[in-house]
Amino acid sequence: MPSLFFSHYRHSIDCLELIPKDDKFAVVAAGELALAMATAPRSLDTISLCSTVSSCPDRNGFYGGFQRTDKPKEPLSKAQIIAREKKWLYMIENWSIYMSKNYKKIRDRCRKGIPKSVRPKAWFYLSGAYLLKKKNPNVYEELLEKPGNPATIEEIKKDKHRQFPFHEMFLDEQKVGQIELFNVLKAYSIYNPKVGFCQAQAPIAAFLLMHLPAEDAFWVFVSVCDVYLQDYFIPGLEVIQNDAGILEGLLKKTCPPVYRHLQKHKVEPLLYMTDWFLCGMTRTLPWETLLRVWDCFLAEGIRVIFKVALVIIGASLSRHKVRKTCTGLCETLAVMRSPPEHILEEEFIINNMMRLNLRVEDFQIEHTRQKARRAKQKAQQDGNPNDSGPSNSNGRRNMPTL
């Protein structure tokens, strides 16, 4: 199974290849763009070349990289922590009742942030992985016993050392992190041979392994790949291209000046959002922000990634003074791919994400519009311009059925 374009430095070039060449970019501009994207700090598998590598890990296990933080987290009181933990434990014990009758309570508590001690179990339940594991006892062990596709196995072996290389779990091949990462990715490639292995999956699997035992991480990974990010990792990238159009439509609604700026300079969404969506923001956000975003993502689905993307784009280019300095495509991309640190901070992202004036209906409208547009394009290519095809909503945008 050929992997997609997430191999270390190939990202920028392959992104360019996704865009039709007709009158989109001059050769010089394309070359400058590829160079700018390849050298952007967050294009390197969470490696920050300017980061200092410490001899001691931070509280999250990072020795270096942009996701390392020495800034102390504002602590809650012990009483607050215990109270929130008790609420979550009670909710998990009565999960089916809450999901069927009081889902809003689950959603609201996820938005506040799941307590660290409860997060692994909460993610296991939020994703529906607990049901998958229950329905498939011993399947993970059985998958590990199978040889798998030799070409896929080689791809996984080449890629596993690139994920969170400054984290204590993944420092070298002898560490448990790289061993379990290989196992999870291999097991999934056998479990879902239609997808096999895509390099964009690896940071997601590694991220989950930092929080869950290997078998539980595997089933959450299955849910993320097959439900939350359904069809993202199959060749052709049709879904991610469709979502690029949706993101553009939502940006036009939420921040018209930024939308007009991107249109003016022909900044295609695939050039800045592909990494964000395919990797679930795991290679983009600071650690504490990423945890909060995933609390919401596993509760509310792909809409959360759209909202985070809109906040990053809007906040990075909201000021007229900044847009004025972005005189072309490369300058604009550079700002969005390396936004000011405060924009990516936990409270800024979460608070502004909640303030976005977007309804579920807005996502549905844009989704239907993009499906119809792409169906019409396909019909025209096939020589039947009057056939616009179906435009029904994609179920992956809803909560997974539990």
Side-chain angles (χ1 to χ4, degrees):
M1 176 82 176
S3 60
L4 298 182
F5 45 77
F6 267 74
S7 106
H8 227 40
Y9 298 101
R10 288 168 41 212
H11 170 260
S12 57
I13 296 172
D14 289 329
C15 270
L16 286 171
E17 291 175 351
L18 291 171
I19 308 298
K21 298 296 189 296
D22 55 321
D23 204 35
K24 286 276 183 180
F25 307 110
V27 174
V28 174
E32 290 175 350
L33 173 63
L35 178 62
M37 293 176 69
T39 55
R42 283 172 177 77
S43 70
L44 305 180
D45 295 313
T46 72
I47 298 176
S48 176
L49 299 180
C50 60
S51 296
T52 301
V53 178
S54 172
S55 59
C56 298
D58 68 0
R59 63 178 178 271
N60 297 309
F62 286 95
Y63 283 87
F66 82 91
Q67 285 171 319
R68 175 185 169 85
T69 177
D70 293 313
K71 182 180 176 181
K73 187 173 174 63
E74 199 68 35
L76 296 173
S77 69
K78 287 185 178 180
Q80 286 176 306
I81 293 172
I82 293 172
R84 292 177 66 187
E85 287 174 343
K86 285 181 177 179
K87 289 176 182 177
W88 266 97
L89 291 172
Y90 179 80
M91 196 160 61
I92 290 172
E93 288 173 5
N94 300 276
W95 193 253
S96 60
I97 296 174
Y98 273 87
M99 283 300 295
S100 61
K101 297 182 179 180
N102 201 3
Y103 164 71
K104 185 176 181 296
K105 179 65 70 175
I106 295 177
R107 185 201 66 187
D108 291 346
R109 286 179 177 171
C110 287
R111 289 179 176 181
K112 289 180 180 178
I114 302 172
K116 183 177 181 179
S117 61
V118 184
R119 183 171 276 129
K121 196 166 187 177
W123 284 7
F124 191 55
Y125 275 75
L126 281 166
S127 64
Y130 78 104
L131 287 177
L132 290 171
K133 183 178 179 181
K134 185 177 180 180
K135 292 177 182 177
N136 298 278
N138 305 317
V139 166
Y140 181 65
E141 291 81 0
E142 292 168 4
L143 291 170
L144 294 183
E145 293 297 322
K146 296 180 180 181
N149 182 293
T152 300
I153 298 303
E154 283 305 309
E155 284 291 316
I156 295 172
K157 286 180 178 178
K158 290 177 186 177
D159 204 58
K160 62 186 176 70
H161 72 280
R162 295 173 179 159
Q163 313 311 320
F164 300 101
F166 290 126
H167 193 273
E168 58 188 0
M169 279 184 65
F170 301 100
L171 289 176
D172 57 59
E173 292 187 359
Q174 306 305 317
K175 291 285 185 180
V176 66
Q178 285 200 35
I179 296 170
E180 290 184 341
L181 178 59
F182 172 81
N183 288 340
V184 167
L185 294 172
K186 172 196 168 185
Y188 181 81
S189 71
I190 300 169
Y191 177 84
N192 190 347
K194 176 187 174 184
V195 175
F197 168 66
C198 164
Q199 290 172 327
Q201 294 173 311
I204 294 175
F207 174 63
L208 293 173
L209 282 167
M210 294 181 196
H211 299 90
L212 295 142
E215 185 175 4
D216 292 355
F218 169 75
W219 290 115
V220 176
F221 183 67
V222 168
S223 184
V224 169
C225 293
D226 294 356
V227 179
Y228 291 82
L229 303 179
Q230 182 184 357
D231 293 336
Y232 264 17
F233 305 110
I234 59 176
L237 296 175
E238 183 175 343
V239 174
I240 197 74
Q241 291 182 61
N242 187 70
D243 283 0
I246 294 173
L247 181 65
E248 203 168 38
L250 294 172
L251 182 64
K252 183 177 182 180
K253 174 181 173 60
T254 57
C255 198
V258 173
Y259 169 80
R260 289 193 294 269
H261 175 86
L262 297 182
Q263 291 289 301
K264 176 182 177 181
H265 296 291
K266 295 182 172 61
V267 184
E268 298 287 338
L270 286 173
L271 293 174
Y272 56 83
M273 58 81 75
T274 309
D275 188 39
W276 297 347
F277 279 65
L278 282 180
C279 297
M281 295 286 176
T282 56
R283 306 198 320 168
T284 302
L285 298 175
W287 195 250
E288 299 298 338
T289 310
L290 180 61
L291 295 177
R292 290 287 303 279
V293 165
W294 267 67
D295 289 345
C296 298
F297 171 56
L298 291 179
E300 302 177 56
I302 193 66
R303 290 191 296 271
V304 170
I305 304 299
F306 277 99
K307 289 180 179 180
V308 173
L310 290 168
V311 171
I312 293 174
I313 299 165
S316 298
L317 296 169
S318 61
R319 296 173 60 195
H320 176 71
K321 182 179 179 181
V322 173
R323 294 198 302 275
K324 193 173 180 180
T325 63
C326 295
T327 56
L329 182 147
C330 294
E331 295 84 356
T332 302
L333 278 176
V335 169
M336 286 194 294
R337 292 179 64 83
S338 297
E341 287 186 9
H342 78 274
I343 289 176
L344 300 181
E345 288 180 357
E346 177 183 348
E347 294 306 320
F348 185 93
I349 289 286
I350 299 299
N351 291 340
N352 283 279
M353 187 174 73
M354 299 310 167
R355 290 191 186 117
L356 280 174
N357 184 26
L358 289 174
R359 306 163 300 159
V360 172
E361 291 77 16
D362 294 319
F363 287 91
Q364 293 171 340
I365 290 168
E366 285 299 329
H367 177 77
T368 301
R369 183 178 296 161
Q370 291 302 318
K371 291 286 283 187
R373 182 182 67 84
R374 294 187 65 80
K376 183 177 180 180
Q377 288 177 342
K378 188 176 186 303
Q380 289 173 340
Q381 291 170 357
D382 294 342
N384 186 11
N386 294 322
D387 180 13
S388 62
S391 61
N392 58 304
S393 182
N394 187 335
R396 80 185 175 84
R397 301 192 183 285
N398 302 321
M399 279 294 300
T401 304
L402 301 181

